[in-house]
Amino acid sequence: MTYETTEISNGLPVIFSPAPGTPRTCICITMRGGSRTQEKPGMAGLAARLLLKGTSSRSAEQIADEIDRRAIHLDEIAGVEHLMLRATFLNAQLDPALDLMADLLQNSTFEDVPKETARLAGEIQSHLDQPRERARDLFLRTMFPDHPYGHTGSLVLQALPEFNAEGIRSWYRRQLGADHMNIVVVGDVNPEELVQHLETHFGGLPQKAEGWCLAPKVSPREPVTVTEAKAEANQAQVYQGWYAPGLSSADRAPLAALNTLLGAGGLSCRLFVELRDKRGLAYTVRSGYGTYSDTGIFSLYIGTSPDNIQRAIAGFREQVDRLYNEAIPEAELDHAKGHLEGEFVLSHETNTQRCTDYAVHHILGMGIDFSERFLQELLAVRPEDVQRVAQTYLAGTPITAVIATQDALARAGL
């Protein structure tokens, strides 16, 4: 990976990674914060969607027409820790693409709130109609009560009627500032010409984001089991989880390897083999390791028969105990690391993938080359490292969320 770094007159960082001979360029313009800075659940996501719905000089129809006419692939991404506007386009469309992105970022009106909240509400409700997603919603709300990390779809639905254009516009304007933004470009572009274009289109952004503020760090709660009764549920949905270290922890690599061999590595991972194949407890069973800037979650999930809730929970416990007490076979760890290395290669094949990766890790302070460094850390993980992080972070009682019929919950003693 090669890249150049500079900044324009207002201090806005610019990272350019040349990709000679490629026909399409990607640009990511990223703001630190995302839902971590929002005042109400859903504000960041709604603001991001409204960016493409009209500016003071372009209607939503004109924006859509220009995108189609110039073959620009344009999307907005509202993450927990960042908000991004991303465009991929033919190299010859550099200046028109930048002109459009600058207009969207600086002049969006945010007026189409009623229509967009209705669309968003429908999408969220459809999402929550899926039993697994409803269980995950309950699980995350329980892990992160009163914190933006726990602003799940169900809480967004409650907040949507309170939104208006003025409130969203005010929140968004507080995010705009060169001190909390970056621009990353990957493609076959002349660097000097690129900087001139960026100065023209983004040099007028304020140097400092006034009123920008991250939510405080998470205060872990005590272990608890929460349930939700759902009539006519054909399956019971079970989530369990522990707090884990965040993005910058030295233990992130062994935890990623642990997650892959335990439940995220496909048909050969332990949870799949032991709980699905051998015991027939589920069709879907997985583990997950998600990271934020200052915390993370290591989770287990299973969809099982309503009569097997306690057997599934006991199965989770058995597999975690194995990690505590038995050495990790070298061959099993090598298989997990090979899986992760393959995922890395597949996720960095295109200019768009690389641009997004560089932008996110730079804005979070991890460094542009974080993914490459992390891959090397993964490949250096030893069996004793995996066992150590299991003993450290999966100790104690997990937070548990279960959704099933009322009768099934009662039979399980929940």
Side-chain angles (χ1 to χ4, degrees), residues 6-14 29 177-179 181-183 202 205:
T6 186
E7 60 182 41
I8 56 178
S9 59
N10 56 5
L12 179 58
V14 176
I29 304 174
D179 57 335
M181 297 177 67
N182 67 23
I183 299 179
F202 300 100
L205 284 170

Side-chain angles (χ1 to χ4, degrees), residues 21-214:
T22 56
R24 294 175 69 83
T25 293
C26 180
I27 296 180
C28 292
I29 304 174
T30 310
M31 290 176 275
R32 177 76 197 278
S35 60
R36 183 78 183 271
T37 65
Q38 66 190 10
E39 298 158 357
K40 298 177 182 178
M43 180 169 283
L46 188 57
R49 293 165 67 107
L50 288 166
L51 282 176
L52 274 62
K53 301 304 179 182
T55 72
S56 54
S57 61
R58 287 177 169 98
S59 67
E61 292 75 16
Q62 289 172 320
I63 293 169
D65 177 72
E66 187 168 357
I67 289 172
D68 291 342
R69 178 164 41 87
R70 297 188 182 278
I72 298 172
H73 182 80
L74 182 67
D75 55 359
E76 84 290 339
I77 301 170
V80 173
E81 307 276 1
H82 68 280
L83 190 151
M84 177 187 293
L85 186 65
R86 180 176 64 187
T88 305
F89 47 87
L90 293 171
N91 297 340
Q93 299 294 330
L94 174 65
D95 191 51
L98 285 172
D99 181 72
L100 176 59
M101 296 178 82
D103 191 27
L104 297 173
L105 281 169
Q106 298 174 79
N107 302 310
S108 287
T109 61
F110 301 99
E111 293 294 342
D112 202 12
V113 174
K115 289 183 180 178
E116 205 57 37
T117 53
R119 293 190 191 101
L120 181 56
E123 292 171 13
I124 292 173
Q125 191 58 65
S126 176
H127 193 66
L128 291 176
D129 285 342
Q130 303 172 50
R132 178 177 177 176
E133 297 306 325
R134 193 165 194 88
R136 180 168 176 78
D137 186 283
L138 175 62
F139 173 65
L140 290 175
R141 281 188 281 124
T142 305
M143 289 286 292
F144 301 116
D146 304 317
H147 193 279
Y149 289 162
H151 284 178
T152 59
S154 62
L155 297 183
V156 174
L157 280 178
Q158 295 175 25
L160 283 179
E162 304 172 13
F163 289 126
N164 57 60
E166 181 180 354
I168 295 173
R169 191 182 302 116
S170 175
W171 173 84
Y172 176 78
R173 292 297 175 191
R174 295 198 297 274
Q175 314 307 305
L176 283 177
D179 57 335
H180 294 297
M181 297 177 67
N182 67 23
I183 299 179
V184 179
V185 183
V186 179
D188 190 355
V189 178
N190 181 289
E192 293 183 2
E193 179 184 348
L194 171 66
V195 172
Q196 291 174 359
H197 284 308
L198 294 177
E199 182 66 47
T200 298
H201 293 296
F202 300 100
L205 284 170
Q207 293 183 342
K208 185 176 177 60
E210 299 294 338
W212 183 92
C213 183
L214 288 176

Side-chain angles (χ1 to χ4, degrees), residues 101-371:
M101 296 178 82
D103 191 27
L104 297 173
L105 281 169
Q106 298 174 79
N107 302 310
S108 287
T109 61
F110 301 99
E111 293 294 342
D112 202 12
V113 174
K115 289 183 180 178
E116 205 57 37
T117 53
R119 293 190 191 101
L120 181 56
E123 292 171 13
I124 292 173
Q125 191 58 65
S126 176
H127 193 66
L128 291 176
D129 285 342
Q130 303 172 50
R132 178 177 177 176
E133 297 306 325
R134 193 165 194 88
R136 180 168 176 78
D137 186 283
L138 175 62
F139 173 65
L140 290 175
R141 281 188 281 124
T142 305
M143 289 286 292
F144 301 116
D146 304 317
H147 193 279
Y149 289 162
H151 284 178
T152 59
S154 62
L155 297 183
V156 174
L157 280 178
Q158 295 175 25
L160 283 179
E162 304 172 13
F163 289 126
N164 57 60
E166 181 180 354
I168 295 173
R169 191 182 302 116
S170 175
W171 173 84
Y172 176 78
R173 292 297 175 191
R174 295 198 297 274
Q175 314 307 305
L176 283 177
D179 57 335
H180 294 297
M181 297 177 67
N182 67 23
I183 299 179
V184 179
V185 183
V186 179
D188 190 355
V189 178
N190 181 289
E192 293 183 2
E193 179 184 348
L194 171 66
V195 172
Q196 291 174 359
H197 284 308
L198 294 177
E199 182 66 47
T200 298
H201 293 296
F202 300 100
L205 284 170
Q207 293 183 342
K208 185 176 177 60
E210 299 294 338
W212 183 92
C213 183
L214 288 176
K217 291 184 178 182
V218 170
S219 298
R221 66 177 301 168
E222 293 298 315
V224 65
T225 296
V226 294
T227 63
E228 180 179 305
K230 184 174 177 60
E232 300 178 0
N234 295 323
Q235 274 195 332
Q237 310 293 321
V238 181
Y239 267 97
Q240 289 195 321
W242 299 259
Y243 297 101
L247 288 169
S248 60
S249 171
D251 285 339
R252 187 178 173 187
L255 277 164
L258 169 60
N259 177 44
T260 301
L261 70 86
L262 180 60
L267 304 183
S268 62
C269 62
R270 290 189 177 188
L271 291 178
F272 194 93
V273 171
E274 295 296 330
L275 301 191
R276 181 188 185 277
D277 286 354
K278 293 184 178 179
R279 305 188 193 183
L281 289 178
Y283 180 75
T284 303
V285 58
R286 292 187 62 82
S287 65
Y289 175 43
T291 54
Y292 306 107
S293 58
D294 57 18
T295 191
I297 309 174
F298 197 97
S299 63
L300 308 176
Y301 162 78
I302 191 169
T304 189
S305 164
D307 292 324
N308 286 332
I309 295 174
Q310 288 298 351
R311 288 182 64 202
I313 291 174
F316 282 164
R317 185 73 257 167
E318 289 173 14
Q319 295 310 309
V320 171
D321 287 346
R322 280 184 63 195
L323 295 168
Y324 288 173
N325 301 319
E326 301 175 11
I328 309 297
E330 189 83 44
E332 187 178 14
L333 178 57
D334 286 344
H335 180 83
K337 292 194 288 187
H339 181 93
L340 289 166
E341 186 174 16
E343 286 185 341
F344 173 86
V345 172
L346 290 174
S347 66
H348 289 76
E349 288 187 322
T350 69
N351 289 352
T352 301
Q353 290 171 321
R354 291 195 296 273
C355 190
T356 306
D357 182 87
Y358 302 159
V360 171
H361 288 131
H362 177 269
I363 205 70
L364 295 180
M366 308 302 295
I368 302 165
D369 63 342
F370 172 77
S371 287

